Amino acid sequence: MTKSRGHIVAEQWFKDKNWKWAAFQKEAAAAYLAGKSGLVNAPTGSGKTYSLWVPILIRHINSKPKKPLKTSKGLQVLWITPLRALSKDLFRNMEMAALEMNLTWRVGIRTGDTGTKERTTQKKQMPDALIITPESLHILFAQKNSSEIFKNLHTVVIDEWHELMGSKRGTQTELALARLRSINPGLQTWGISATIGNLDEARKVLLGMKADVADSVVVKAKNNKKIIVESIIPEKVETLPWSGYMGTRLVDNVVKIVKEGKTTLLFTNTRSQTEIWYRTIIDRYPEFAGIMALHHASLDRELRDWVEESLHNEKLKLVICTASLDLGVDFRPVETVIQVGSPKSISRFVQRAGRSGHQPGAASKIYFCPTNSLELIEAVSLREGVEKNILEDRPPVIQAFDVLAQWMITLAVGEGFGEAQLFEEVRDAYGYQFINREEWEWLLGYITTGSSSLTVYDEYKKVERIDGRYKVTSRRIAHRHMLSMGTIVSETSLTVKLQNGRYLGSVEESFATRMKEGDVFVFAGMTVEFIRIHEMTVTVKKAEGKRGFLVRWAGGRMPLSSQLSAFIRERLSDALENPLKEKELAKLQPLLSLQQERSIIPRQNELLIEQCETREGHHIFIFPFEGRLVHEGMSIILAYRISKLQPITFSVAMNDYGFELLSDQYVDLESVLKETDLFSIKHLVDDIYQSVNATEMAKRKFREISAIAGLMFQGYPGKYMKTRQLQASSSLLFTVMSKYEDNNLLVKQAYQEVLTYQLEEVRMRMALDRIATQKIIIKKTKKPTPLSFPIMVDRLREQLTSEKLDDRIQKMIKQYSDAD
């Protein structure tokens, strides 16, 4: 790098901080100052933010005239972040660097939490650099002077790009970048990512289809951050395991680790689990009151802000959290991370590990706390994945027409758009590179008339064509659109507040409406009693000393990633031959021996199928080890294919390792496999549509799509429509559009999303291809095995009502553990 004025100032700042440039920081700075765009890939806590922020400041210093300008240039740098929680931390670090270099640059924040006063200030004069979320960026494009706002923008940085890519929020970002490149052809675009496998594709998605990839760079840190993975080994493991039984039984082991460290983050996979662990620890160790806190997305913002500030100020010993704290936030006091239960992804595990030792050169340490015996296999697999630095790909979303329709209306609310120019812009976005004129014409018709089946209804006529430009002229339509912008569609939430007026957070409508006066539940780390629901608010009072039930949120279970499932198959294959290779596998020897005794432990080139008969009926257990979603689709297809050979009805259950087909009839699988290619990929999509209620599944998916596309208004703040009303309305629209429009893009998208995301059709096809090369081994067992027993338990969770699950499971364990 040339020793410019800016470079000398930056070097002095590093010297004052007693820091040195990391090699990847130097490389990124040189590329940026040479005018290039690209992607920075480096471990969490290695200084990725400064690898771009410092050269941005160098550029500013070098471009400063000797005499200060009387007027500001306005917005010059956009820093896009996926989480509001990241914005404060980014602001703190970015502003500190600018101030300590004696620069007058103003850094601002624009998220859903930004107050009215600050928004008004920004409207009058934008800061030089703005930290913003994708949704808030789209709101700026809905301003009448959006081109003026962005006219001096020269750099866009997308933080945690791996978190956005692969989601519709990433698609939102792609569309915004395409428009910014149109406004500023010389725009420099950079992404920052720690955990992503498909780096080259991530760069292409970031830069767009028209970019010369050869003129961009991927800056990859050479020295991988050291991550120490240690399992919490239970004294005893169940030979017939079931999901969740072990977790909180290891609370003493967990607390011992917490006490030995300075500050610990304990990650769980669901909000319900955070509440369970908080109550378990506080009941057993009351001395943690005041030095332990909760953090998850459904808690009130003030509570979350307090937790984050307390972490920074070293006031907390332990924070129990979900993914709400696993991205980018710099909590230097954190020494230890504990992961409860399998994170189902190597990338997610690495990301969370990086919360500890969050500084260059420091090692990260993460403890893995299993929630059942079989997760000890996942512990070994996770450690191997970390050691080999194998991370999951994040495939981008393709042809999300609902997001595009929303974007078109957003631009029409703002300055309006010319359709030919916008069509070219949209095709520059990676996710819409294949869009054709027929689809584009349909979208133009949709935003102006609501599609051909809805032309008689004025409510769906949102955009008008005036002097060749598409614009929204109705203030009502513009207002409703601004309230509905975004791509995260969830069940209607109700605010929870105490009688004294303090807000605790939110719960989903389906949970709240089941409660009656006097019901007690656990939320925000406290036990509260339900009083009433009024105007979308649940009023409660403290109920100390009473036992309550847990709040449940939808979408709690994550599927196993394909990379992690491959590691598990490999580890399980040689588990008996190498019992002392890993301490986790050594601990599992009684379980593995029982599996081998009652059935077999499948090799990598084998597919295990177990059949047994119990009082419930005839069970078929199949173990592809491909994750819950793939198993859900595969179980339904296989049940359908068998039913074509003989009249039979199955009930299905599944987990990440395999699935169960349960019937009152015996199935001769040897004969079935001779008569039909049970695992064939031929006619796969047709068989999916024949075997599942695809129309009903698509209807439910259509509700999300129609909300994003602006087809269905979900209500004003405090007066949201009930979830069942939304589903009924969207179902009616789906039926009408399906009946009268063969080419409706939103209906087609609903079916495609069922295949792609709900049934993981592509991954299922790959799994069936692999099975075609394997030897199928059918084992008739007298009793359920350690691999099949957890699947039976998962089915019981959905069935049991009056009898406690634990009691029923203990009876089953006794029944199936007795000597033959």
Side-chain angles (χ1 to χ4, degrees), residues 141 147 173-184 207-210 404 407-408 411 415-433 435 437 440 469:
F141 279 108
S147 294
T173 308
E174 286 182 59
L175 289 167
L177 289 173
R179 165 57 51 127
L180 290 173
R181 287 191 291 267
S182 177
I183 297 171
N184 301 292
L207 302 182
M209 299 307 299
K210 296 177 184 176
L404 180 52
W407 174 239
M408 294 166 75
L411 294 179
E415 295 181 337
F417 65 85
E419 67 89 8
Q421 179 191 345
L422 184 58
F423 180 61
E424 291 306 314
E425 277 182 27
V426 167
R427 292 180 65 189
D428 182 38
Y430 187 94
Y432 300 100
Q433 58 185 292
I435 190 170
R437 282 300 305 184
W440 182 250
R469 290 184 68 80

Side-chain angles (χ1 to χ4, degrees), residues 37-50:
S37 296
L39 183 64
V40 174
N41 177 239
T44 299
S46 59
K48 296 189 300 298
T49 300
Y50 287 136

Side-chain angles (χ1 to χ4, degrees), residues 663-680:
S663 175
D664 59 356
Q665 300 177 47
Y666 171 74
V667 177
D668 185 349
L669 277 178
E670 283 92 347
S671 298
V672 169
L673 289 169
K674 288 177 182 177
E675 291 181 41
T676 183
D677 193 349
L678 195 59
F679 296 97
S680 172

